[in-house]
Amino acid sequence: MKTNKTSIPVALTIAGSDSGGGAGIQTDLRTFAFHCVHGTSAITCITAQNTLGVFRVDAMPSEAVIAQIRAVVEDIGVQAAKTGMLLNQEIILAVAQEVRTLQINNLVVDPVMVSRTGAQLIDDDAIQTLRHELIPQAAIITPNRYEAQILSGLEIVSLEDMQNAAQIIHKNLGTKAVLVKGGGMSGGLKGVDVWFDGERLEILRTKQVETKNTHGTGCTLSAAITANLALGKDLWTAVQEAKEYVTTALTYSLDIGKGQGPVGHFFPLLEK
Ligand SMILES: Nc1ncnc2c1ncn2[C@@H]1O[C@H](COP(=O)(O)OP(=O)(O)OP(=O)(O)O)[C@@H](O)[C@H]1O
Ligand SMILES: Cc1ncc(CO)c(N)n1
């Protein structure tokens, strides 16, 4: 039997491993697969994590992160890439240098700094390096409420605050577009995101999904944007379709573990 020689877009995720499979590398690769995009990865750290929390984090040596990125880009090539949990200043610097040297385009930076519950995940030096070295190379960054507060210097409680923060971040940080995510907002703003690209200020609204199982929403959203860019979609279309994807994944979220379960990606199969 002859094999089908399939040409397929390729995306790269530079992120941490989540042993519970709900966020990080695991959900990124799953998201790429459900977009029919071949997923490649550079692992930055290994978390011992489940639906209840993160119990241990081990960083990879920055040389190992560099080697993974080079192995993928120099042989296979990537149409788009995303960064997730980069953990420390040394890894952020290494990633920023590789992105520059290898001329990785269509870069989506999910600036994982603070969890949706408000806990800071990386130290202050690392935040400065993310801000000055990596974010200026991004096509889009996707901060949650708390990350947008750090990057803009604004306290964010209202939709107007989200809009102002998106504009300040765009002006000060040199990224092409900003999506401030509303998962950490209260009341009717949960699920409302704000987009700014220097010209258009848009509000992405969706129905609020009533579930405690929201683990991995941020990773899924940025991975879906990356997959859509790898497929050749423009940035705004990539974001709109990714927002629809994460909303559907939330409505199919998985009731596993004793805490916050992950969003569910199997809906295209379940809906058949
Ligand atoms: N209950 C909800 N209903 C609808 N949309 C939601 C809900 N919770 C989060 N979202 C959406 O999920 C996406 C991720 O946003 P969120 O603010 O949760 O990111 P995050 O904090 O980076 O996520 P994570 O928990 O993975 O770290 C956004 O599009 C947000 O609007
Ligand atoms: C590995 C990893 N990356 C990102 C997040 C943020 O959701 C997480 N909890 N774990």
Side-chain angles (χ1 to χ4, degrees):
M1 195 176 109
K2 271 192 169 177
T3 56
N4 288 325
K5 286 199 177 144
T6 308
S7 158
I8 188 170
V10 179
L12 167 67
T13 169
I14 306 170
S17 163
D18 170 2
S19 54
I25 290 279
Q26 286 81 358
T27 206
D28 290 346
L29 293 178
R30 206 179 294 123
T31 305
F32 293 163
F34 274 102
H35 284 79
C36 295
V37 167
H38 177 70
T40 61
S41 61
I43 299 187
T44 57
C45 62
I46 297 180
T47 69
Q49 186 175 176
N50 57 26
T51 64
L52 296 170
V54 178
F55 303 101
R56 179 180 166 121
V57 184
D58 289 283
M60 294 296 290
S62 58
E63 295 79 10
V65 179
I66 293 171
Q68 292 172 82
I69 297 172
R70 286 189 189 165
V72 169
V73 175
E74 288 174 353
D75 173 40
I76 304 169
V78 298
Q79 280 73 55
K82 69 156 274 189
T83 64
M85 190 168 174
L86 299 179
L87 196 65
N88 64 38
Q89 189 180 28
E90 196 183 324
I91 294 176
I92 295 169
L93 253 185
V95 170
Q97 265 159 17
E98 289 310 300
V99 167
R100 197 171 296 117
T101 315
L102 297 169
Q103 299 181 326
I104 296 177
N105 291 318
N106 289 329
L107 180 70
V108 178
V109 173
D110 185 357
V112 178
M113 303 191 295
V114 189
S115 73
R116 200 194 315 169
T117 49
Q120 191 162 322
L121 300 171
I122 62 176
D123 61 31
D124 291 341
D125 288 346
I127 291 176
Q128 287 315 316
T129 308
L130 196 62
R131 184 195 283 270
H132 295 297
E133 301 293 334
L134 190 60
I135 291 176
Q137 302 189 65
I140 181 166
I141 69 166
T142 59
N144 67 21
R145 176 191 181 184
Y146 299 103
E147 292 152 353
Q149 286 190 163
I150 292 175
L151 294 174
S152 67
L154 288 185
E155 197 192 345
I156 300 176
V157 287
S158 66
L159 182 60
E160 202 187 343
D161 296 335
M162 292 172 78
Q163 291 174 311
N164 289 336
Q167 292 177 88
I168 290 173
I169 293 169
H170 182 272
K171 181 162 169 259
N172 292 346
L173 271 69
T175 172
K176 286 197 196 84
V178 182
L179 187 73
V180 174
K181 300 174 294 192
M185 300 297 287
S186 50
L189 288 175
K190 210 180 263 298
V192 175
D193 303 341
V194 170
W195 153 281
F196 186 63
D197 65 355
E199 288 173 10
R200 290 166 62 170
L201 184 63
E202 301 278 353
I203 299 167
L204 283 104
R205 285 182 199 277
T206 183
K207 60 178 176 180
Q208 188 167 316
V209 185
E210 295 306 327
T211 176
K212 70 172 175 46
N213 301 320
T214 56
H215 184 50
T217 47
C219 300
T220 299
L221 180 72
S222 55
I225 297 171
T226 310
N228 287 332
L229 291 175
L231 289 163
K233 295 177 182 170
D234 66 76
L235 196 50
W236 173 235
T237 306
V239 167
Q240 285 175 296
E241 292 186 7
K243 175 74 175 158
E244 278 171 35
Y245 182 88
V246 76
T247 306
T248 314
L250 264 165
T251 61
Y252 283 87
S253 62
L254 309 180
D255 212 7
I256 56 172
K258 299 180 189 71
Q260 268 195 352
V263 296
H265 295 255
F266 304 108
F267 55 87
L269 304 175
L270 299 172
E271 281 175 351
K272 273 194 176 154

